[in-house]
Amino acid sequence: MAESLSFFQKVNTDFDKAARFTDYPLGLLEQIKICNSSCHFTFPIKRDDGTIQTIHGWRAEHSHHNLPTKGGIRYSTLVNEDEIIALAALMTYKCAIVDVPFGGAKGGIQLDRNQYSESELERITRRYTYELIQKNYIGPGVDVPAPDFGTSETEMAWIFDTYITMAPDKLNAIACVTGKPIEQNGIHGRRGATGRGVVYGLEEACSIEEDMKSLGLTAGLHGKSVVVQGFGNVGYHAAKFLMESDARVTGIIEIDGAIYNPKGLDVEKVAEHRAETGSICGYPDAELIKNPNDGLELACDILVPAALENQLTAANASEVKAAIVAEAANGPTTPTADAILQERGIMVIPDTYLNAGGVTVSYFEWLRNLSHVQLGRLGKRFEDSTQHAMLHAVEKATGYQFSNEERQSIHGADEEDLVNSGLQDTMIRAYQELRETRMAHRSKNDDVDCRTAAFINAIHRIAQSYMQLGIFP
Ligand code: NAD
């Protein structure tokens, strides 16, 4: 039954499960759950060969309890209204879980980007932005898009340029979209932020000895075997940072096949191989698994779905061999699969928490754009001169001469360091809150899993916002 539910119905199933552990009025819960507004628009584009094609695009603003709303733009053939609303809802809960003051939104265009030339994609993106402007679905204080599946900094740059050309308020227009290229008011660390956040979240979860023991694992990421599905922005960065944290990335699954090496894959070399050949398949230092779906059933400690929704289902959840499923993608596990995984004692770290790194760093970018000041710049000059004086004093007192390298490593934090430490703090704090909720319920004999705990925390935070708005006395 649950497998045939739409994506938005599945999100609401998870919400309802958590709502039962709260005592808010039904009307308030209904208001939190419902999508506040959505828009489907169609427009024609002239293709390079002269033919005319109708393009379908959507934008959904799930919750206006905080403004602006925030969420990525996705290019995929699977995009439809239900998917966009479901993803916008997940954004609402995600922002609440990591305490980023946005409502949730999402947008998408139904297309396979590989079928279009660069200039066709630019025309489509600019026209989509024009539609968003016309319908008041974009603006620094209204609704702020970002990259998602099938889009990147390039599309964000086209959105920014189209918006600023038409914006009456040029001063703040730079905050109309995040995930921009650095040279166009983007922020250092945004590109890898979602993958980095996944690793910070995993690091925190795996640091708790008691929880790891119950999964038959030792504490820490060191030596843990990991299989990653989807080698795009999120999957690649998660794999790269996992490898840097001493985990062993033993499998990578892509749309056309999977590769496996129990000793561990060199993530950068796999990326280079894909850049040269167009595929991870054929990577020399690994076994090729022709059917990518089989990759999800590989033995490993941590399985990281980082591609699309509905990947772990009633059909394959009993075959998952991992002890932890780390949801880097949005909605990769259906409610039925989730129940099977919980039943089997597998820990599922939910998307609403684990992939919040992107929106967290987008929040930093948006704040920086609105303040028109580079992060760390104000304090940096003071810090630099203080450090210089301190090094000089140490040299004078000890007679020791610091090398240039040593001076560099003592140098103050740059923007990326600040972004990463803000992201790390956010992921640690949100995980601790999630775990506290689980423990509080466990002491009352309620078996609350991580996803339900995350939803409970989101509901509390959103309910508080509504109460502050005076809507529910
Ligand atoms: P992306 O387009 O950069 O990469 C997706 C990758 O998945 C591609 O390499 C694609 O070939 C691969 N893929 C597609 N279908 C697959 C399948 N069935 N099996 C294996 N591989 C498959 O997208 P992304 O930005 O990395 O997004 C991935 C997921 O993470 C999505 O669910 C997205 O909503 C979520 N997410 C992304 C961000 C972000 O900042 N980009 C933030 C939060 C969540």
Side-chain angles (χ1 to χ4, degrees), residues 80-281:
N80 60 46
E81 185 159 15
D82 180 81
E83 185 197 49
I84 294 303
I85 291 176
L87 290 165
L90 287 175
M91 284 304 299
T92 295
Y93 305 127
K94 193 179 303 184
C95 290
I97 289 161
V98 290
D99 203 10
V100 163
F102 293 133
K106 204 78 176 192
I109 304 183
Q110 193 182 66
L111 56 77
D112 173 1
R113 60 171 302 130
N114 299 319
Q115 303 301 316
Y116 294 84
S117 69
E118 170 107 353
S119 73
E120 286 174 336
L121 287 171
E122 178 169 353
R123 290 203 295 281
I124 292 169
T125 307
R126 287 184 182 278
R127 177 60 194 263
Y128 175 83
T129 310
Y130 178 79
E131 297 290 335
L132 293 178
I133 297 167
Q134 289 300 308
K135 294 170 174 75
N136 200 26
Y137 272 86
I138 186 170
V142 178
D143 187 352
V144 182
D148 191 68
F149 188 95
T151 59
S152 67
E153 292 172 358
T154 311
E155 286 74 21
M156 302 309 115
W158 292 330
I159 291 173
F160 167 59
D161 185 57
T162 309
Y163 184 84
I164 202 160
T165 308
M166 300 181 69
D169 174 10
K170 303 265 189 242
L171 185 66
N172 287 326
I174 50 171
C176 74
V177 61
T178 59
K180 299 180 291 289
I182 298 295
E183 55 283 3
Q184 271 169 300
N185 296 291
I187 198 168
H188 288 96
R190 172 60 183 91
R191 193 182 296 160
T194 308
R196 197 180 276 282
V198 166
V199 179
Y200 286 150
L202 267 169
E203 242 161 23
E204 185 57 20
C206 292
S207 71
I208 301 166
E209 211 164 328
E210 181 192 341
D211 295 356
M212 290 303 106
K213 209 170 164 193
S214 68
L215 297 170
L217 299 173
T218 53
L221 279 180
H222 173 80
K224 289 207 167 38
S225 56
V226 187
V227 171
V228 180
Q229 182 203 33
F231 201 48
N233 177 303
V234 178
Y236 159 73
H237 285 103
K240 172 182 151 85
F241 298 133
L242 277 163
M243 198 176 98
E244 286 173 12
S245 300
D246 244 2
R248 237 174 340 119
V249 179
T250 52
I252 297 177
I253 310 165
E254 253 298 328
I255 195 150
D256 53 345
I259 52 173
Y260 179 64
N261 182 340
K263 290 196 193 124
L265 297 156
D266 185 324
V267 175
E268 285 306 339
K269 285 196 177 144
V270 177
E272 278 164 28
H273 178 86
R274 199 215 354 224
E276 277 163 25
T277 66
S279 171
I280 61 163
C281 304

Side-chain angles (χ1 to χ4, degrees), residues 75 110 295 334 380:
Y75 288 0
Q110 193 182 66
T334 66
K380 198 160 168 50

